[in-house]
Amino acid sequence: QVRVVESGGGLVQAGESLRLSCTAYGLTLDDFALAWFRQAPGKERDELSCISFTGRSTHYLDSVKGRFTISRDNANNMLYLQMNDLKPEDTATYYCAAVTRSECKTTLQNLHVMSPWGQGTQVTVSA
């Protein structure tokens, strides 16, 4: 059974950092482009960042550019999101996903999620 597991969230103060991790069971992540999504309370789940199949292209939501870094470790079937200078508006549940292999070459938009959603990991940033 395929499942995705996110971890690394927590409660931090504004300006602090967190590193989120994602792995998958029953799914080889290096067959896909990968992405992080987030869902703030009362809002829809939105694309946050993606990394192409080759790892050569990355894209970010404008509000996190320069603060967040997505990376992948194919050898260990892992995806990461380094989040620096966190702000209260980053408070959300964060999810990772495998997306269509050909996506995330030129844009973060219109990603097609190919993996089941995990439980997500909660990030709470206090002012």
Side-chain angles (χ1 to χ4, degrees):
Q1 183 178 1
V2 176
R3 63 188 180 101
V4 172
V5 179
E6 303 91 349
S7 62
L11 171 61
V12 297
Q13 294 186 330
E16 294 185 339
S17 299
L18 284 172
R19 187 192 194 206
L20 305 185
S21 300
C22 167
T23 192
Y25 300 93
L27 184 72
T28 302
L29 295 180
D30 64 5
D31 288 339
F32 300 91
L34 302 174
W36 285 97
F37 293 72
R38 70 181 180 186
Q39 186 169 20
K43 296 187 177 181
E44 295 187 352
R45 183 158 40 201
D46 291 326
E47 297 97 338
L48 177 66
S49 179
C50 68
I51 185 167
S52 64
F53 163 69
T54 62
R56 288 197 286 265
S57 295
T58 58
H59 300 280
Y60 299 91
L61 192 66
D62 283 348
S63 62
V64 306
K65 284 180 181 176
R67 300 189 296 122
F68 290 11
T69 304
I70 190 171
S71 61
R72 62 190 298 165
D73 178 356
N74 290 340
N76 291 297
N77 211 39
M78 296 292 294
L79 175 70
Y80 300 102
L81 186 68
Q82 178 67 42
M83 307 188 297
N84 298 330
D85 190 23
L86 282 160
K87 304 178 185 299
E89 52 264 41
D90 295 319
T91 294
T93 302
Y94 286 69
Y95 301 88
C96 65
V99 301
T100 305
R101 181 170 165 154
S102 61
E103 293 176 339
C104 192
K105 290 180 180 176
T106 59
T107 180
L108 177 60
Q109 303 299 316
N110 301 318
L111 300 177
H112 293 83
V113 175
M114 306 298 289
S115 57
W117 292 110
Q119 294 294 312
T121 187
Q122 177 66 39
V123 173
T124 303
V125 185
S126 63

